[in-house]
């Protein structure tokens, strides 16, 4: 469901597979929290394989965004599917979260 990789610049890529709803939100929260506790304040959350997420998952992303921002880091979203992208737009989260279509664009956000 979750795969975390670190690149040479210590940017944590959180690759997510499947829906982030119900009980999987707790796992998602745990993975994100672990990255923050490890001092990884540069996060890319890869949503290309996430067909759906719920409001609780959005809350996890928002809290992580705030924590990362306070520590001088950055959190960006990568390649959300259409349904997830629509949720981000409807909730106006695209006005505070950076969303990129390619991994290269997401990496460049940290330069």
């Amino acid at each position: 469901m979750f795969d975390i990789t670190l690149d040479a610049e210590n940017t944590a890529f959180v690759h997510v597979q499947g829906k982030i709803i119900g009980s999987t939100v707790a796992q998602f929260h745990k993975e994100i929290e672990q990255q923050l506790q490890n001092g990884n304040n540069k996060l890319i959350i890869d949503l290309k394989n996430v067909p759906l997420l719920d409001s609780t998952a959005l809350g996890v992303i928002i809290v992580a965004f705030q924590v990362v921002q306070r520590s001088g880091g950055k959190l960006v979203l990568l390649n959300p599917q259409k349904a997830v992208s629509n949720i981000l737009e409807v909730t106006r989260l695209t006005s505070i979260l950076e969303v990129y279509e390619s991994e290269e664009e997401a990496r460049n956000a940290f330069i």
Side-chain angles (χ1 to χ4, degrees), residues 43-98:
L43 297 174
I44 297 174
I45 301 177
D46 182 358
L47 299 172
K48 72 179 170 208
N49 294 314
V50 177
L52 185 65
L53 49 76
D54 66 16
S55 60
T56 309
L58 287 177
V60 170
I61 293 170
I62 293 166
V63 169
F65 171 78
Q66 292 170 333
V67 170
V68 165
Q69 203 173 36
R70 281 193 298 266
S71 69
K74 192 172 197 174
L75 179 149
V76 301
L77 304 178
L78 174 61
N79 202 15
Q81 289 189 15
K82 185 71 174 157
V84 173
S85 186
N86 288 342
I87 291 168
L88 294 170
E89 288 175 23
V90 166
T91 58
R92 298 185 184 205
L93 288 176
T94 53
S95 66
I96 60 166
L97 295 171
E98 294 179 37

Side-chain angles (χ1 to χ4, degrees), residues 12-29:
F13 280 80
V14 181
H15 304 277
V16 186
Q17 291 275 13
K19 298 175 183 176
I20 313 174
I21 58 174
S23 62
T24 58
V25 175
Q27 280 182 283
F28 178 60
H29 181 259

